[in-house]
Amino acid sequence: MEMGRESRWEKDAMTVEIVFALVTAVVLAAAVFGVALAFTLALGLSGSASKGVLMGGALVGSAVGVWRLVRVLYRFDVECRKGH
């Protein structure tokens, strides 16, 4: 993408890509946390063990969500710079 004035199409494409990145990142993070929650419920964990697994699921889910967000936006930037 050139550093000059952006066309309406380019702005719309950026908006769509940002929303796509955010939605997929949230869904992926929620899925990872859901796995941790299901693991806790399936094993019947309680107390600090349950809290630890859920905290770990939240941390890993957050990291995976951020990774997805950065990956999608970086890929979009690379494609724009190529001119595709």
Side-chain angles (χ1 to χ4, degrees), residues 34-68:
V35 168
L37 181 61
F39 183 72
T40 301
L41 294 174
L43 294 180
L45 298 177
S46 63
S48 62
S50 173
K51 188 175 180 180
V53 170
L54 292 178
M55 186 62 72
L59 290 173
V60 172
S62 297
V64 168
V66 168
W67 170 80
R68 174 68 179 168

Side-chain angles (χ1 to χ4, degrees), residues 1-81:
M1 199 172 342
E2 296 179 22
M3 295 305 287
R5 202 174 156 154
E6 298 166 343
S7 71
R8 184 72 189 149
W9 181 87
E10 290 170 329
K11 288 180 183 178
D12 288 347
M14 279 188 260
T15 301
V16 168
E17 199 67 23
I18 290 168
V19 170
F20 172 75
L22 286 171
V23 168
T24 58
V26 168
V27 168
L28 191 57
V32 170
F33 181 75
V35 168
L37 181 61
F39 183 72
T40 301
L41 294 174
L43 294 180
L45 298 177
S46 63
S48 62
S50 173
K51 188 175 180 180
V53 170
L54 292 178
M55 186 62 72
L59 290 173
V60 172
S62 297
V64 168
V66 168
W67 170 80
R68 174 68 179 168
L69 181 69
V70 169
R71 182 173 172 253
V72 169
L73 294 178
Y74 179 74
R75 184 186 66 207
F76 179 72
D77 184 53
V78 168
E79 290 298 317
C80 284
R81 291 180 192 272

